[in-house]
Amino acid sequence: MEHLHSTEAALTALRSIAREYSREIEVSHDIGADQTSRRTAAGVGVTADPDGSLPHEAFVEFGGSPRISVRLYPDDDGDGDADALIIVEGVECPDVPRDSVPAFVRSVLSGLAYVRGRRFPPGYRLIVPLPGDETYKEFIPMVTLTPWLSARVR
C-alpha cells in the first residue's frame, strides 16, 4: 500500500475511488488545533501545534449503498502514523491506519467485504479483507443488521 503522508493525500485517494465507483462524495475539513478533535486540549485561540504546523482533520461521506463515512485524524505524535475511523452501514471500524483507508473503502465497494454469522454464541462480524493478508473484523450487534449487511451474511 502507498504511504499517504497527509490528510490531503488520503482525500485525493478517496476522491479517486469515488470516481472509479461512480459515487458521490462529500468532504468537510477541520484545520487548526482549535478545530480538530483535540479542541479541548489545544486551549483557547491556539491554532498551530507546538512545531508550528496546522493539524488537518477531514470527514468524508460516500453517497449510495453501502453508507460509508471516514474520519481522517491528524498525525498527533509526529511519527507519520495517523489513524482513521471508518463507519460502514453503522458498524464502526476504529484505528484503521491512514495508509490502509483507500484499500479498506475499495474492498467494501468492490464487494470483497462480508458478514460472518455465528450460531453459538450468536453474533455477526463485518470482515473486510485488504491486500497483503490484512483483515479487519468488527462485531455487529444483531439488532443493527441493515439490508446491505444482511445481504452479505455467509
Side-chain angles (χ1 to χ4, degrees):
M1 283 179 263
E2 173 186 349
H3 175 64
L4 302 171
H5 59 278
S6 68
T7 300
E8 198 58 44
L11 289 173
T12 300
L14 290 174
R15 285 184 179 111
S16 173
I17 291 170
R19 276 191 303 277
E20 180 181 335
Y21 288 94
S22 302
R23 303 289 294 268
E24 291 184 18
I25 188 172
E26 192 172 316
V27 180
S28 61
H29 300 271
D30 292 324
I31 299 174
D34 60 338
Q35 297 296 311
T36 63
S37 57
R38 303 178 289 169
R39 290 179 187 147
T40 56
V44 177
V46 177
T47 57
D49 281 342
D51 64 356
S53 64
L54 286 173
H56 180 191
E57 184 173 297
F59 182 73
V60 180
E61 287 184 296
F62 286 83
S65 181
R67 293 182 326 243
I68 302 172
S69 64
V70 180
R71 175 157 305 275
L72 297 164
Y73 295 106
D75 180 17
D76 290 335
D77 51 11
D79 65 356
D81 295 333
D83 288 335
L85 167 67
I86 301 176
I87 302 173
V88 179
E89 287 290 318
V91 179
E92 291 188 3
C93 304
D95 302 325
V96 177
R98 181 169 52 202
D99 293 345
S100 298
V101 168
F104 189 105
V105 171
R106 183 172 274 118
S107 181
V108 171
L109 292 176
S110 68
L112 292 176
Y114 61 95
V115 174
R116 170 85 24 117
R118 196 171 58 198
R119 292 192 199 280
F120 188 79
Y124 294 95
R125 289 195 178 278
L126 173 65
I127 310 216
V128 182
L130 301 183
D133 292 331
E134 188 177 357
T135 303
Y136 285 89
K137 300 176 183 179
E138 292 299 327
F139 176 74
I140 306 170
M142 289 175 40
V143 295
T144 60
L145 276 181
T146 64
W148 186 87
L149 291 170
S150 295
R152 276 140 190 88
V153 173
R154 290 186 184 173

